[in-house]
Amino acid sequence: MSERNTETNRAGLEKVYNPKEVEEKLYWFWLERNYFHAGINAARQPYTIVIPPPNVTAQLHMGHAYDNTLQDILIRFHKMRGYEAEWMPGTDHAGIATQNVVEKYLKKAENKTRHDLGREEFVRRVWEWKEKYGAIIIEQLKKMGFACDWERTRFTMDEGLSQAVSEVFVRLYNKGLIYRGKYIINWCPRCMTALSDEEAEHKDVAGHLWYIKYQLYRSKKFITVATTRPETMLGDVAVAVHPEDKRYKKLVGKTAWLPILHRKIAIIADPAVDPKFGTGAVKITPAHDPNDFLLGERHQLEPILVMNEDGTMNANAGPYEGLDRLEARQRVVEQLAREGLIEKIEEHTRPVGHCYRCGTTVEPYLSTQWFVKMKPLAEPALEAVRSGKITIRPARWIKVYEHWMENIRDWCISRQLWWGHRIPVYYCENDHITASTTAPEKCMTCSSATLRQDPDVLDTWFSSWLWPFSTFGWPQNTPELKYFYPGSTLVSGHEIIFFWVARMVMAGLEFMGDIPFRHIYLHGIVRDAQGRKMSKSLGNGIDPLDMIAKHSADAVRLSLLTLSSEGADINLAEKDFEIGRNFTNKIWNAYRFLAMNLDEPIVQAANPDSLQAARGQNRLELADRWILSRYSKAVDRITTALQEFHFHEAIDAVYSFFWKEYCDWYLELIKPRLNGDDLEAKKTALVIAAFLMKNTMKLLHPFAPFISEAIWRGVEIDSGLGLGRHESESIIISSWPEPITAFADERAEAEFSLLQEMIGAIRNMRGEMNIPIGKTAEVLIAGGDGQDPALISQHESYFEQLARTHAIKYDRDLERPKMAASAVVKDFEIYLPLAALIDVNVERNRLDKERQRLEKLLENLNQRLLSQDFVNKAPQEVVERERQKKTEFEQCLKKIEANMEQLAA
């Protein structure tokens, strides 16, 4: 616990908000009251979100903080709107990722591999890891203030979820949608497992295109093929050309010699060959290329596998057996060069698959694996989005979703790992297959009692795609499943739209007969300040817990939201968290100011009925009517923005209303009333200010739950003036504000807006002319045709309070005085006489020196920007920065010259 700040105001409040004193207390209060739990409630409509379960690999990162903040906003918003809001938490076993980190840990800590331990002991160690890091993750989520229903916390390898996984596998197998086959798959030689197409992340890699000459059989002539992977030529079974390619028509049906291994291979024709690639003749390696595999099937070519699972060359590679694939590539190229069989080498960039977990270059590899037929599952999932049954925001992701669904390929679901859901398939000694949710006593085909289970596990996503319904008890038809399914909203990063989001839609429709959620919101990735993805290798990650300790959970949440825009990535630096911290400080200062003047009767009177009564008795002045009208519009804007998933727009509306209107204008304008002798006027101002503060805390609560609750309750901050405590024990169970149509006042808004512009213009002139803050000014106003001059005279106090004036003189036909700054607002001309405010000669000299300085800087900048050497050779961002400086200097120079003109006698 940090040392308490002993400087307090007369309301007993500390000068500086201390979140460490508050956040933990409040979270435990929420937990003790069970506010986050949702039950079956026939009187309420359910609102369900299932958390994208974080992997139990390590601690959470800033991406998790952002993703879950968005979900927490929706949950708290809907709770306050009267829904039975359920946020299902949990974690994912993350097969390949978790196995990788545990293997690395074992190697570092004990210098052992999983094979040293054996499968059973290794899996036990991974469970230990899960218990440790799963608990850490849950605590981290709590630190962020997330309103998860912790009673329902699930794990993808819970007994119930494991039962669901087996049930789904067996159902799909029996339906003919799961099959076992030998195909080209993505293979990670480091993780030693198959990967799905989505798990092989393609990156452009600069390499070479080797043109290799294959001698024709019984001829001195050659046919030249182009390849990016010379080491795989050892598995070539043919050379293929396009049937319409005139260059090679006479060679189709003939035979060529495979270099190095001296194996005869056929020259065949196939329309899949691109005549424009390389020489138009390509080597065919069915065991190491997906396109070659399909071509080989069409021509009944026997594949030859030349690599082991660890990426080394096998016996079929002849003299290169035992070499790593990349070393073999080098040796093969050297041998071909010695034999004069390399025609040429070109620079060539191509997309290369990489393991999404360890980054190793993926090998297209012929292997026996388990697959799901996706086309029959994809069709209804595609229709669900096209028909509008499911909405996707931002809408640009609809096309991406549709394209993937329309071109979907079968899903390789088997993984050569030990950690995960074991495939529920059993083989007898005759290799008959029995798929069963429980271990069978005998083979379903031949009744053999000698059975062995498939050693492989299922892809992590095979359990994750069932998450929206398996977590509520499926395959049992539980009351919770009936009530909470289908879910309402899914919030997820766009990078897993294929891994997870689309597959959940397919699974929901297949096994529940209904969509898993009605709305999908896909957000961007949190990157570093340079736009790079945060990673351990770059060392550019920002730990959310460190930022919470430094600034507060509310500050972290507010900063992320302020920097976000719909679906776009966030570029983030540590200093950016000052945004949220500054906002919470502003909230605290406003509350402290109010608390000095409030008492319990005022707090109790801060309700719409009291305000309506004051309105009826004509006790509201212009500022009151303006702020109440603006409040009603803010409520409408914030509510609509949240309903439409415009999170940035929602927080911007809260920020703009509270800081720019309520604090900067209204609270400043009521200070004379609070310090005056008119007790009725003081009470009216305080009731309005307290009402707005209280209800703004409601609007703020989904975004900054801790400080809003602290001000609502008052208990945790040792204040006897909790603004909402008389309404409800906690803000989370209070009702969401509704726009109050009776407060709408367009005339008040228009009149106040004009005064704001005038006051703003006077303040700008004071700043530009360097007028000391302690000096009050006389202001002359002319013009204003068609405007009521009483608007100015009746609100001179506003000018006094916010523009530091002591007199406002209005005359429609007033001539411009000498030595005065001026501004135009609408049809009004505003003059600020300067002689009594500043030493004109001193100011004139100051401006002249600044003008000379800027002219010199501009001269140097122009010379640099006119230099072609600089413009062409300097980094583009440097050139752009210099151009921006030039524009800024020119604008400053214009202002200085204008100000010097106004100082002319």
Side-chain angles (χ1 to χ4, degrees):
M1 193 69 73
S2 64
E3 188 178 328
R4 290 179 63 85
N5 185 329
T6 55
E7 188 176 349
T8 60
N9 67 1
R10 59 185 179 161
L13 295 173
E14 296 180 8
K15 184 177 181 180
V16 178
Y17 175 56
N18 188 348
K20 291 180 182 177
E21 293 281 339
V22 171
E23 292 187 347
E24 191 172 350
K25 286 182 190 175
L26 281 176
Y27 201 82
W28 278 107
F29 164 71
W30 291 329
L31 290 178
E32 286 166 2
R33 293 296 192 276
N34 212 21
Y35 288 142
F36 301 159
H37 179 64
I40 298 167
N41 187 340
R44 287 186 174 184
Q45 186 177 336
Y47 181 84
T48 310
I49 293 180
V50 292
I51 198 170
N55 296 344
V56 291
T57 46
Q59 299 183 32
L60 299 183
H61 53 66
M62 200 56 76
H64 293 111
Y66 178 52
D67 178 75
N68 288 294
T69 293
L70 299 180
Q71 295 170 75
D72 194 54
I73 289 168
L74 293 172
I75 286 293
R76 289 177 184 271
F77 172 59
H78 283 88
K79 266 187 196 296
M80 294 174 75
R81 298 192 76 211
Y83 288 82
E84 192 68 17
E86 166 63 30
W87 187 9
M88 169 74 73
T91 50
D92 196 307
H93 70 280
I96 188 170
T98 306
Q99 179 157 319
N100 272 349
V101 296
V102 175
E103 285 192 80
K104 286 177 183 175
Y105 170 78
L106 282 172
K107 187 67 180 173
K108 186 177 179 182
E110 302 177 26
N111 196 28
K112 288 182 179 178
T113 68
R114 61 181 164 122
H115 300 286
D116 294 329
L117 298 181
R119 183 166 191 156
E120 187 177 337
E121 175 59 17
F122 177 75
V123 169
R124 188 188 70 78
R125 296 286 192 96
V126 185
W127 272 106
E128 285 180 355
W129 180 278
K130 176 266 169 188
E131 293 302 322
K132 178 182 177 182
Y133 283 97
I136 289 172
I137 286 166
I138 297 301
E139 288 309 306
Q140 287 178 311
L141 292 170
K142 290 178 178 178
K143 281 281 185 188
M144 288 291 294
F146 298 142
C148 297
D149 189 351
W150 300 113
E151 291 180 32
R152 298 189 191 276
T153 304
R154 305 304 302 268
F155 176 57
T156 51
M157 284 177 64
D158 282 349
E159 186 178 343
L161 273 70
S162 295
Q163 182 189 354
V165 167
S166 296
E167 181 71 25
V168 163
F169 185 97
V170 172
R171 285 193 193 186
L172 291 177
Y173 177 79
N174 291 337
K175 199 173 179 178
L177 292 179
I178 282 184
Y179 64 94
R180 188 170 182 247
K182 197 169 188 177
Y183 296 95
I184 287 281
I185 48 89
N186 301 290
W187 182 266
C188 176
R190 185 252 169 248
C191 299
M192 297 275 282
T193 184
L195 303 171
S196 68
D197 291 336
E198 293 73 33
E199 291 169 325
E201 296 179 342
H202 283 80
K203 304 172 189 173
D204 284 342
V205 174
H208 298 91
L209 191 61
W210 286 271
Y211 288 75
I212 304 171
K213 297 190 291 185
Y214 286 33
Q215 188 172 0
L216 300 176
Y217 182 57
R218 291 180 177 171
S219 172
K220 292 185 179 180
K221 292 182 178 180
F222 296 86
I223 184 168
T224 301
V225 302
T227 181
T228 57
R229 302 171 68 221
E231 72 280 7
T232 63
M233 67 173 288
L234 304 169
D236 284 2
V237 295
V239 171
V241 297
H242 193 278
E244 302 301 320
D245 193 333
K246 293 177 183 177
R247 295 171 294 175
Y248 300 114
K249 274 200 169 185
K250 291 181 181 178
L251 296 181
V252 174
K254 296 191 179 298
T255 304
W257 278 108
L258 177 67
I260 300 176
L261 295 183
H262 306 296
R263 185 168 63 235
K264 287 193 289 185
I265 55 176
I267 300 173
I268 60 176
D270 192 281
V273 177
D274 179 4
K276 294 177 183 176
F277 177 76
T279 63
V282 294
K283 55 190 275 313
I284 302 302
T285 321
H288 295 279
D289 183 277
N291 295 320
D292 291 4
F293 177 79
L294 296 174
L295 190 149
E297 281 194 325
R298 288 195 293 274
H299 294 269
Q300 298 179 329
L301 301 172
E302 190 67 32
I304 299 174
L305 198 64
V306 296
M307 286 184 203
N308 298 310
E309 292 180 346
D310 63 357
T312 59
M313 309 306 287
N314 66 20
N316 291 330
Y320 307 104
E321 182 181 4
L323 293 181
D324 175 76
R325 55 186 169 156
L326 297 181
E327 188 181 351
R329 175 182 298 177
Q330 186 179 341
R331 297 279 190 89
V332 165
V333 169
E334 289 170 355
Q335 181 65 29
L336 291 170
R338 281 195 295 271
E339 294 182 18
L341 296 177
I342 292 184
E343 190 173 285
K344 63 177 177 176
I345 303 171
E346 292 177 346
E347 299 291 322
H348 183 73
T349 299
R350 66 187 180 98
V352 176
H354 292 77
C355 176
Y356 82 121
R357 280 303 170 193
C358 71
T360 301
T361 300
V362 165
E363 191 63 44
Y365 196 74
L366 185 62
S367 179
T368 301
Q369 303 289 341
W370 286 94
F371 298 86
V372 179
K373 290 181 183 176
M374 298 302 282
K375 202 74 177 171
L377 300 174
E379 287 165 1
L382 186 56
E383 179 57 27
V385 169
R386 283 180 170 162
S387 67
K389 198 172 182 183
I390 294 176
T391 66
I392 299 178
R393 290 182 175 88
R396 66 178 180 271
W397 289 105
I398 294 173
K399 288 290 182 191
V400 178
Y401 176 94
E402 288 179 340
H403 179 76
W404 187 71
M405 286 294 197
E406 288 166 350
N407 298 280
I408 200 163
R409 297 171 65 178
D410 288 356
W411 175 16
C412 176
I413 56 169
S414 46
R415 299 289 179 272
Q416 289 62 54
L417 304 170
W418 288 354
W419 174 244
H421 294 100
R422 193 94 171 257
I423 292 177
V425 161
Y426 302 82
Y427 308 97
C428 67
E429 63 265 35
N430 299 314
D431 279 339
H432 296 142
I433 293 174
T434 300
S436 174
T437 57
T438 56
E441 294 181 1
K442 60 182 181 179
C443 174
M444 298 287 286
T445 305
C446 66
S447 298
S448 169
T450 307
L451 298 172
R452 69 185 188 284
Q453 188 174 358
D454 194 303
D456 291 349
V457 300
L458 289 161
D459 180 6
T460 293
W461 302 102
F462 196 87
S463 54
S464 303
W465 76 326
L466 314 178
W467 189 249
F469 52 89
S470 63
T471 48
F472 289 109
W474 190 92
Q476 281 73 44
N477 193 19
T478 64
E480 289 78 12
L481 185 61
K482 289 178 187 175
Y483 182 71
F484 289 115
Y485 189 93
S488 306
T489 304
L490 176 82
V491 176
S492 175
H494 61 66
E495 72 275 14
I496 56 173
I497 185 172
F498 309 132
F499 287 121
W500 192 48
V501 180
R503 287 173 180 161
M504 281 191 288
V505 178
M506 290 186 262
L509 290 166
E510 174 68 17
F511 301 106
M512 291 296 297
D514 200 355
I515 55 173
F517 25 73
R518 297 176 184 87
H519 305 287
I520 298 169
Y521 179 78
L522 300 171
H523 58 75
I525 298 169
V526 180
R527 301 181 179 276
D528 71 6
Q530 298 174 47
R532 300 174 302 175
K533 197 168 181 178
M534 291 184 177
S535 67
K536 284 182 182 177
S537 58
L538 289 174
N540 61 347
I542 302 174
D543 188 332
L545 289 193
D546 289 347
M547 295 302 100
I548 289 171
K550 190 173 181 180
H551 299 295
S552 81
D554 285 340
V556 170
R557 294 164 64 118
L558 290 167
S559 300
L560 289 169
L561 292 165
T562 304
L563 292 167
S564 70
S565 59
E566 191 177 359
D569 292 351
I570 297 173
N571 289 0
L572 186 69
E574 284 198 24
K575 64 178 176 59
D576 291 324
F577 292 101
E578 294 171 12
I579 297 169
R581 183 202 63 196
N582 292 344
F583 191 21
T584 56
N585 286 344
K586 187 73 173 179
I587 295 163
W588 182 253
N589 290 337
Y591 175 59
R592 283 184 85 245
F593 167 73
L594 268 187
M596 286 192 296
N597 296 280
L598 290 177
D599 55 28
E600 192 60 34
I602 293 287
V603 172
Q604 299 249 1
N607 59 65
D609 292 340
S610 297
L611 300 180
Q612 292 283 33
R615 189 185 188 89
Q617 294 162 14
N618 252 356
R619 286 192 280 114
L620 303 187
E621 62 175 64
L622 177 60
D624 301 331
R625 289 183 282 116
W626 167 76
I627 195 67
L628 289 172
S629 186
R630 296 302 298 158
Y631 162 75
S632 194
K633 282 187 176 175
V635 171
D636 185 56
R637 185 184 167 199
I638 294 158
T639 304
T640 301
L642 287 177
Q643 288 171 331
E644 296 178 356
F645 305 97
H646 300 313
F647 297 98
H648 176 76
E649 189 178 319
I651 192 60
D652 181 64
V654 176
Y655 180 94
S656 296
F657 172 74
F658 183 79
W659 193 316
K660 296 179 182 177
E661 295 178 336
Y662 178 74
C663 292
D664 287 356
W665 288 90
Y666 189 70
L667 290 187
E668 291 300 319
L669 286 174
I670 67 172
K671 284 178 180 177
R673 278 192 272 175
L674 300 189
N675 297 323
D677 298 325
D678 187 337
L679 297 181
E680 201 60 45
K682 178 178 180 178
K683 179 183 175 183
T684 299
L686 280 173
V687 166
I688 293 171
F691 170 81
L692 294 172
M693 185 77 189
K694 177 180 76 172
N695 283 279
T696 304
M697 290 307 98
K698 287 186 179 184
L699 297 172
L700 182 70
H701 181 68
F703 310 97
F706 290 111
I707 194 167
S708 56
E709 179 75 288
I711 290 170
W712 183 269
R713 284 174 50 74
V715 176
E716 287 74 19
I717 51 177
D718 299 330
S719 169
L721 289 169
L723 294 184
R725 207 166 57 211
H726 61 280
E727 185 179 321
S728 64
E729 183 184 41
S730 170
I731 197 169
I732 198 172
I733 56 171
S734 68
S735 58
W736 182 257
E738 296 290 337
I740 303 174
T741 53
F743 289 169
D745 194 330
E746 294 299 329
R747 181 178 173 181
E749 288 196 43
E751 289 178 349
F752 195 84
S753 176
L754 177 59
L755 295 178
Q756 281 182 302
E757 286 188 58
M758 288 181 163
I759 290 167
I762 296 167
R763 289 163 73 162
N764 286 341
M765 286 189 283
R766 289 183 65 108
E768 287 173 5
M769 303 312 295
N770 216 23
I771 297 169
I773 191 139
K775 287 194 176 182
T776 59
E778 178 188 41
V779 172
L780 310 177
I781 302 177
D785 292 340
Q787 301 284 350
D788 183 0
L791 179 65
I792 298 169
S793 60
Q794 289 170 4
H795 298 97
E796 277 196 43
S797 63
Y798 292 5
F799 289 86
E800 290 173 17
Q801 183 68 13
L802 294 174
R804 302 287 293 142
T805 63
H806 61 257
I808 300 285
K809 291 184 180 177
Y810 173 73
D811 183 338
R812 197 182 303 275
D813 301 316
L814 184 77
E815 290 186 12
R816 175 175 180 158
K818 292 181 179 180
M819 214 177 298
S822 67
V824 176
V825 172
K826 299 286 193 299
D827 296 327
F828 291 96
E829 292 170 39
I830 304 172
Y831 303 112
L832 184 64
L834 299 169
L837 298 173
I838 57 174
D839 185 323
V840 174
N841 289 327
V842 169
E843 181 62 12
R844 207 181 276 135
N845 289 337
R846 185 187 73 80
L847 289 172
D848 190 48
K849 284 179 184 175
E850 181 63 10
R851 177 178 60 79
Q852 291 177 39
R853 186 183 75 85
L854 283 173
E855 284 175 342
K856 185 67 179 171
L857 288 171
L858 263 172
E859 185 184 340
N860 293 337
L861 260 178
N862 284 328
Q863 284 177 359
R864 188 178 302 174
L865 289 169
L866 286 170
S867 164
Q868 289 303 308
D869 199 44
F870 170 73
V871 172
N872 294 330
K873 291 183 179 178
Q876 189 57 41
E877 61 268 21
V878 173
V879 175
E880 196 52 47
R881 196 159 55 238
E882 295 298 276
R883 284 180 179 146
Q884 196 173 341
K885 263 193 219 173
K886 179 177 181 286
T887 303
E888 289 169 3
F889 289 166
E890 285 171 341
Q891 288 171 348
C892 287
L893 197 56
K894 278 182 185 175
K895 278 187 182 178
I896 287 169
E897 287 168 348
N899 289 345
M900 290 180 75
E901 242 181 79
Q902 291 176 339
L903 289 174

